[in-house]
Amino acid sequence: DVKVTQSSRYLVKRTGEKVFLECVQDMDHENMFWYRQDPGLGLRLIYFSYDVKMKEKGDIPEGYSVSREKKERFSLILESASTNQTSMYLCASRPGGGAVGYTFGSGTRLTVV
Amino acid sequence: GENVEQHPSTLSVQEGDSAVIKCTYSDSASNYFPWYKQELGKRPQLIIDIRSNVGEKKDQRIAVTLNKTAKHFSLHITETQPEDSAVYFCAASKNSGGYQKVTFGIGTKLQVIP
């Protein structure tokens, strides 16, 4: 019963390519998030969205952008991929309105060569 | 901003023993403290959470305690089993500008030795 789906499990891209990471949730959640996970650094917030068509920068937004045209879909865009963006990318969602936990996707392991 | 420190970074226990993972936070406005378990190659999953108006919460073999005065909270796993082996993340969350801002700890890799 997968509820947060990330379109790719593994991706290999070349430096300078434009990369799209897609995330879809079927729980009607208002809030969606993109994190990257690196060894020794934990989970770092890239961007988040509290509603359709709105977006906010997280702690490490440089080199990334996002799009949320529909409530269920939140896309992360690497405008020009660089090797330091090689990482595990995790999408998460949660209901709006209060202190509740995340539901995470399975992650996309991106390698930029 | 909020700072969450988690320790130890790695923990090995014998099957059947207890495991304790500790986190401290810096912002007294934090009011929600979830714990996530991430098994190797899998997504993080919420296993237990506690709100600031509660001092302790238990769910079968796992429990979380919160000391607001000292600004620390802990995860306790009793009677550990090999399937408890995973990376555990703590987090602290607070209301910020109309939304809940979450800060994660760096994670603890727990190994349960059969």
Side-chain angles (χ1 to χ4, degrees), chain A residues 2-4 9 33 35 37 40-43 45 48 50 56 59 90 94 98-107, chain B residues 31-32 34 36 38 40-46 49 51 87 89 93 95 98-107:
Chain A
V2 174
K3 299 185 186 311
V4 179
R9 193 64 197 269
F33 306 83
Y35 284 87
Q37 183 176 26
L41 296 176
L43 292 159
L45 181 64
F48 60 100
Y50 275 83
E56 294 285 344
D59 300 318
L90 287 165
R94 72 176 178 203
V100 293
Y102 291 152
T103 300
F104 281 94
S106 294
Chain B
N31 60 0
Y32 174 67
Y36 294 87
Q38 187 177 27
L40 188 63
K42 296 191 176 179
R43 68 187 77 199
Q45 290 195 297
L46 179 69
D49 56 13
R51 287 172 173 77
V87 177
F89 294 95
S93 176
N95 293 321
Y99 61 90
Q100 279 279 328
K101 182 170 171 57
V102 179
T103 303
F104 283 91
I106 207 160

Side-chain angles (χ1 to χ4, degrees), chain A residues 51-95:
Chain A
D51 206 345
V52 178
K53 295 191 185 292
M54 76 81 46
K55 57 188 177 185
E56 294 285 344
K57 292 179 180 179
D59 300 318
I60 52 164
E62 296 77 19
Y64 304 94
S65 62
V66 290
S67 172
R68 192 163 180 205
E69 294 297 315
K70 294 184 178 181
K71 188 176 185 180
E72 66 270 20
R73 185 181 296 271
F74 191 36
S75 303
L76 180 69
I77 304 153
L78 286 66
E79 296 290 342
S80 177
S82 63
T83 55
N84 63 11
Q85 292 178 310
T86 291
S87 186
M88 170 67 84
Y89 289 87
L90 287 165
C91 175
S93 73
R94 72 176 178 203

Side-chain angles (χ1 to χ4, degrees), chain B residues 61-81:
Chain B
R61 294 186 298 108
I62 59 172
V64 57
T65 58
L66 171 65
N67 183 328
K68 283 192 296 182
T69 304
K71 296 208 271 293
H72 67 70
F73 56 112
S74 300
L75 178 71
H76 304 254
I77 307 173
T78 58
E79 300 170 23
T80 54
Q81 300 168 5

Side-chain angles (χ1 to χ4, degrees), chain B residues 9-19 21 77 80-88 108-114:
Chain B
S9 56
T10 59
L11 179 60
S12 290
V13 298
Q14 291 291 136
E15 183 177 357
D17 287 351
S18 294
I21 301 169
I77 307 173
T80 54
Q81 300 168 5
E83 52 264 38
D84 295 328
S85 296
V87 177
Y88 292 81
T108 296
K109 184 175 182 180
L110 173 64
Q111 181 184 19
V112 179
I113 303 165

